Amino acid sequence: MDALTEALRVVAPGLAGLRVVLPELVGRDEPQWRASSAAVGDEFVAKFAWSAPAARRLAHEISVLSTLAGDARIPFVPEVVACGTEPVLLVTRRVPGMSLFAVVDSVDRDHAGRQLARFLVALHDPGTRACVEQATGTLPTPRATATTEQIRARFSRWVRPDQRHTVADWCDWADELLATPCPPALVHGDLHGDNQVWREDRLCLVVDYETVSAAEPEYDFRALPATGPDCELLTATVRHYERLSSRALSVERIMAWHLRTTLDDALWRSEAGVPLPDHRTPAAWVDDLATRFATLGIRFSPS
């Protein structure tokens, strides 16, 4: 608390007298993730870090967000109130609302997909990447996840015997599909439901730009298949994105990234003894993946 208060005095002295509410800081032993956000008064959010790796990520976010926030073409970007790198601190204006996960079952998925597509089309525009790279330098590639080789070798112990061959076949399919790279764009890199602020059926804000990187546009869609029932939000967002951008997307490549992300998440959590977000089992997640592939009409030939 003292370090954050002192950082506010340096970076945003006008806010230093406001009440600061820190979250419960648990499970932060890995230096890469030693960062958090705190409420400052009723109107502001301060994001801070207390390790060198986390500070580098936050400094990257400050550079990215300072650029994006000044571009009126990009909707749903937080308002930067104050920021600094000595000490590393980012203060944005608080926008009340709820996570997409909390509202997705009650909103019209077509309407929600149209709003997400507006954000993604603007973010993926080549001009956006050029502007951001003027501030940050060349964008990095996305954070490394478990390779399909590691998933094949280590994931089988966490699923049913009848699922092991299926997972291996999926990994082979993803490897073949993603072996041919696609032109990269600037991507958010972590566009899951908790990084979105919604008020009823209206998207108000997209947060957390630490993982902004260079990857194919499909990479930014990889969390959507698991958000809401029957992949409806994914298909709606893809439809509106293609209409707004006049660029075709590959649902198969989206699902290949979704597969790798889902299995990586289940693997590291299981090996670390951390519950999966919905407190179910890796085997249940594999069943969910099979359902999503079938819903989207993606078939696999027996091998």
Side-chain angles (χ1 to χ4, degrees):
M1 174 72 82
D2 291 343
L4 176 56
T5 301
E6 180 58 31
L8 282 169
R9 289 195 186 101
V10 174
V11 176
L15 307 182
L18 297 177
R19 180 174 60 97
V20 175
V21 179
L22 286 168
E24 185 72 22
L25 300 176
V26 296
R28 302 281 183 168
D29 294 335
E30 168 55 50
Q32 180 76 3
W33 307 108
R34 288 181 184 167
S36 192
S37 298
V40 179
D42 296 325
E43 298 183 38
F44 308 103
V45 176
K47 192 168 186 179
F48 58 99
W50 65 95
S51 75
R56 286 192 292 270
R57 288 166 57 90
L58 181 52
H60 176 67
E61 177 172 16
I62 289 169
S63 295
V64 169
L65 200 51
S66 296
T67 303
L68 295 181
D71 190 337
R73 299 171 302 169
I74 305 172
F76 315 123
V77 174
E79 177 189 347
V80 177
V81 176
C83 61
T85 55
E86 292 185 8
V88 180
L89 183 71
L90 171 66
V91 181
T92 57
R93 190 171 300 277
R94 179 178 177 270
V95 174
M98 304 177 73
S99 163
L100 175 61
F101 292 132
V103 303
V104 69
D105 289 332
S106 61
V107 301
D108 180 276
R109 256 76 75 184
D110 184 71
H111 181 54
R114 185 183 303 112
Q115 295 173 81
L116 285 169
R118 279 186 59 214
F119 172 75
L120 288 168
V121 168
L123 197 72
H124 295 166
D125 186 272
T128 304
R129 178 180 177 183
C131 288
V132 169
E133 287 190 329
Q134 285 183 350
T136 66
T138 302
L139 287 170
T141 56
R143 180 180 64 89
T145 60
T147 65
T148 49
E149 181 179 357
Q150 291 168 329
I151 291 169
R152 290 185 191 92
R154 291 158 38 197
F155 193 64
S156 61
R157 63 171 292 202
W158 302 105
V159 297
R160 300 190 307 266
D162 64 290
Q163 295 175 318
R164 293 168 185 166
H165 188 70
T166 297
V167 169
D169 282 348
W170 287 346
C171 288
D172 292 343
W173 169 81
D175 283 347
E176 182 177 356
L177 194 64
L178 298 177
T180 303
C182 289
L186 180 149
V187 296
H188 179 279
D190 198 19
L191 194 62
H192 58 72
D194 284 338
N195 280 337
Q196 303 169 37
V197 178
W198 289 74
R199 196 174 305 141
E200 297 179 348
D201 65 348
R202 183 165 62 91
L203 176 59
C204 301
L205 204 65
V206 176
V207 302
D208 197 354
Y209 292 77
E210 288 187 9
T211 54
V212 161
S213 49
E216 63 183 84
E218 283 86 350
Y219 185 82
D220 255 349
F221 288 76
R222 73 194 195 285
L224 290 180
T227 308
D230 300 326
C231 297
E232 291 178 1
L233 184 59
L234 169 66
T235 55
T237 307
V238 167
R239 181 170 63 252
H240 288 293
Y241 184 101
E242 292 181 333
R243 177 182 60 82
L244 290 170
S245 67
S246 299
R247 297 195 300 270
L249 293 169
S250 167
V251 173
E252 288 77 13
R253 292 182 75 92
I254 291 171
M255 288 303 294
W257 288 118
H258 174 64
L259 168 73
R260 290 189 57 173
T261 300
T262 300
L263 298 184
D264 170 72
D265 198 25
L267 177 61
W268 81 258
R269 288 175 182 275
S270 298
E271 291 182 337
V274 176
L276 273 60
D278 59 7
H279 296 278
R280 295 189 302 146
T281 65
W285 277 26
V286 170
D287 287 337
D288 289 346
L289 282 167
T291 299
R292 290 173 201 139
F293 282 126
T295 297
L296 295 168
I298 298 174
R299 311 295 179 187
F300 298 89
S301 301
S303 60

